[in-house]
Amino acid sequence: MKFISLESPSPTDCFKIIDTGIRKRALIILLACCQATYEGRARSRLGFGERMILIKPDGSFLIHQDRKLDPVNWQPPKSRSKVSMKNGVVFLESVRRIPQEHLKVELKEVHLVSYYQCQDAQELEVCGHEKDMGELIWKHPELIEKGFRPTVREYSTSKGFIDILGKDSKGQLMILELKSRKAGTNAVKQLKRYLNDFKDDKKEVRGILVAPSITEDALELLEENNLEFKSLEPPNELKNEKKITLDLF
Amino acid sequence: MKFISLESPSPTDCFKIIDTGIRKRALIILLACCQATYEGRARSRLGFGERMILIKPDGSFLIHQDRKLDPVNWQPPKSRSKVSMKNGVVFLESVRRIPQEHLKVELKEVHLVSYYQCQDAQELEVCGHEKDMGELIWKHPELIEKGFRPTVREYSTSKGFIDILGKDSKGQLMILELKSRKAGTNAVKQLKRYLNDFKDDKKEVRGILVAPSITEDALELLEENNLEFKSLEPPNELKNEKKITLDLF
DNA sequence: GAGTGCATCTCGCTC
DNA sequence: GAGCGAGGTGCACTC
């Protein structure tokens, strides 16, 4: 059976379905009143409440409350899930080896138990990251300014990697720090550090923060340090753009 | 009805259940073959595949594939969810106002649709954070060393906030940088920056990195800069410790 | 509402 | 496996 779902199951049935689901490497869904304790990188305890529990074929384990985007408790992929029954009560356990992490769940009342052997080979296609920005600038350096010639990407320094290194039309060295969203003071400080490294060489260097926008504090700090800001939106174009709009709407 | 669940529903039934679920501010669960496009802070497209969709009463919207901990697509709390039907096909839409973000989902085949008005007032109790460490040191400064007297927490500098500032038994200034997990080179660099700020004052200052452990690179960098490392585990004690173990096992 | 920094961050990459 | 950095980070907290 590829898919099974049972409302208000007995503890025995609930146990059986979960156990089968784990062995079949299916996606398991539970709606239940439960409590949970976690021990590992930190420690936590969650009292009884009604939640959704999700166990994935890759070992991921999630407990979702009725609010927030993040699960309230979880275990990462490759964790080992187990189900057990003691005195008519069903327990779930998920263990990660390295680092040692334990999640234990007690199910008090199960409203729905279900497993589903799903098929999904699709990968998400995204655009609009810092990496995309780097590629865009590399291909179209004039977006930064006329005469800009990028020379190195991911240039390694003692302070970290410089996103893009290049020269302006006058041959002056330029250090570019890219951010795909609004840049804060931290981005400026980072850029400043790269420049300090280069200034030891007694050369004149320009530092440019490239981002769609910048906070007021950051702009102030930037100007204090004679650094520059260049507004640039990250590229916004998927591979099969036309296909999408046709397929969906 | 507080809870409803329907296997392989017709598009019309599926639409009705989701629509009711949204109006009742229930937790909605879907198992379905779907595709999704997202536009907002970035842009993404996901082809057809079998997934679990979760819509929470607070507006959170999650699409989970059969792998990974993170949803492949999502919308944050307070987003507005809508369901619609066109030519016998059910569509989901979730919109966020600020920043503008759109998630559109087309359901091709629904295996399970369900909503559930759940009750969960419980908050998660956690311990083992950096904040806990700060409190621990503040109360038990001798954990750092005999004679250590902390004076300020979250001391603001141009380089950021110093976790703990204090003096040793000889009255020498100490800067403490706390990390709740293994400290890397970045933690050392951060500490170094705080010290540089203070050295301008021509005072002798000790810099101490406090963490459960440290990477080899970081330790090397630390010693090069005459900084110190103090191994300290973040506190690991919940409020009602005894109660937990009794309740669960 | 915007800005800042932690997180059981997760995840992908490189070494 | 460990370390490092980006993320549609999320989230709480401050201003």
Side-chain angles (χ1 to χ4, degrees), chain A residues 68-70 98 129-131 160 179-181:
Chain A
K68 307 283 172 62
L69 208 45
D70 286 344
I98 300 164
H129 305 298
E130 190 177 304
K131 217 180 97 189
K179 290 289 165 207
S180 62
R181 24 183 185 147

Side-chain angles (χ1 to χ4, degrees), chain B residues 41 73-75 101 185-186 215:
Chain B
R41 283 174 289 177
N73 276 118
W74 71 93
Q75 287 286 63
E101 290 185 294
T185 53
N186 273 344
T215 69

Side-chain angles (χ1 to χ4, degrees), chain B residues 226-240:
Chain B
N226 288 314
L227 302 172
E228 302 162 52
F229 173 65
K230 174 66 193 178
S231 172
L232 185 69
E233 293 289 332
N236 224 6
E237 183 90 15
L238 292 162
K239 276 168 198 167
N240 298 315

Side-chain angles (χ1 to χ4, degrees), chain B residues 128-143:
Chain B
H129 308 295
E130 191 178 303
K131 217 181 96 189
D132 296 324
M133 278 182 89
E135 279 165 24
L136 180 67
I137 294 169
W138 193 255
K139 282 179 196 161
H140 302 285
E142 70 277 6
L143 286 169

Side-chain angles (χ1 to χ4, degrees), chain B:
Chain B
M1 196 117 57
K2 202 183 152 228
F3 169 65
I4 199 163
S5 158
L6 192 58
E7 286 181 42
S8 304
S10 71
T12 310
D13 287 340
C14 180
F15 169 82
K16 275 185 197 164
I17 290 178
I18 297 171
D19 192 50
T20 310
I22 291 174
R23 279 189 291 100
K24 285 196 173 181
R25 303 185 63 76
L27 185 76
I28 299 166
I29 296 173
L30 279 157
L31 276 175
C33 180
C34 66
Q35 73 171 336
T37 60
Y38 158 79
E39 233 170 285
R41 283 174 289 177
R43 216 148 189 264
S44 79
R45 137 140 188 108
L46 181 66
F48 279 111
E50 298 183 309
R51 286 134 204 165
M52 197 222 52
I53 298 169
L54 191 62
I55 305 174
K56 296 191 182 185
D58 71 349
S60 306
F61 191 114
L62 305 93
I63 305 178
H64 271 283
Q65 288 184 299
D66 59 356
R67 50 190 183 272
K68 307 283 171 64
L69 208 45
D70 286 344
V72 63
N73 276 118
W74 71 93
Q75 287 286 63
K78 289 177 188 168
S79 302
R80 283 282 283 273
S81 303
K82 272 195 303 183
V83 60
S84 60
M85 200 166 59
K86 227 182 270 180
N87 307 321
V89 180
V90 180
F91 292 89
L92 299 175
E93 219 171 319
S94 177
V95 181
R96 181 190 197 179
R97 286 292 155 85
I98 301 165
Q100 263 280 338
E101 290 185 294
H102 254 265
L103 180 60
K104 293 173 188 176
V105 184
E106 176 183 347
L107 305 179
K108 198 161 74 174
E109 206 198 327
V110 178
H111 304 284
L112 179 76
V113 59
S114 151
Y115 75 72
Y116 176 38
Q117 290 183 286
C118 51
Q119 302 262 326
D120 183 3
Q122 290 290 325
E123 295 291 331
L124 185 73
E125 237 189 283
V126 242
C127 67
H129 308 295
E130 191 178 303
K131 217 181 96 189
D132 296 324
M133 278 182 89
E135 279 165 24
L136 180 67
I137 294 169
W138 193 255
K139 282 179 196 161
H140 302 285
E142 70 277 6
L143 286 169
I144 298 302
E145 67 177 34
K146 217 182 142 187
F148 172 62
R149 282 163 301 145
T151 50
V152 197
R153 286 181 69 178
E154 295 299 314
Y155 181 83
S156 178
T157 77
S158 71
K159 300 290 190 302
F161 285 86
I162 291 175
D163 289 327
I164 293 182
L165 208 60
K167 287 186 176 172
D168 68 11
S169 57
K170 294 172 187 168
Q172 199 167 350
L173 207 57
M174 284 169 78
I175 293 176
L176 268 60
E177 171 62 29
L178 313 185
K179 289 290 164 205
S180 63
R181 5 168 209 160
K182 189 177 245 196
T185 53
N186 273 344
V188 181
K189 288 171 190 169
Q190 199 176 336
L191 179 57
K192 220 175 115 185
R193 265 174 262 143
Y194 296 145
L195 253 88
N196 285 338
D197 237 33
F198 268 82
K199 272 181 185 162
D200 291 346
D201 300 346
K202 313 289 177 205
K203 288 175 198 161
E204 285 293 320
V205 185
R206 288 172 63 191
I208 292 110
L209 182 56
V210 184
S213 61
I214 185 167
T215 69
E216 233 175 286
D217 288 358
L219 188 60
E220 211 172 289
L221 189 61
L222 201 74
E223 288 170 350
E224 275 174 28
N225 289 276
N226 288 314
L227 302 172
E228 302 162 52
F229 173 65
K230 174 66 193 178
S231 172
L232 185 69
E233 293 289 332
N236 224 6
E237 183 90 15
L238 292 162
K239 276 168 198 167
N240 298 315
E241 193 71 41
K242 280 173 195 162
K243 205 161 169 282
I244 296 167
T245 47
L246 282 175
D247 273 352
L248 251 181
F249 304 95

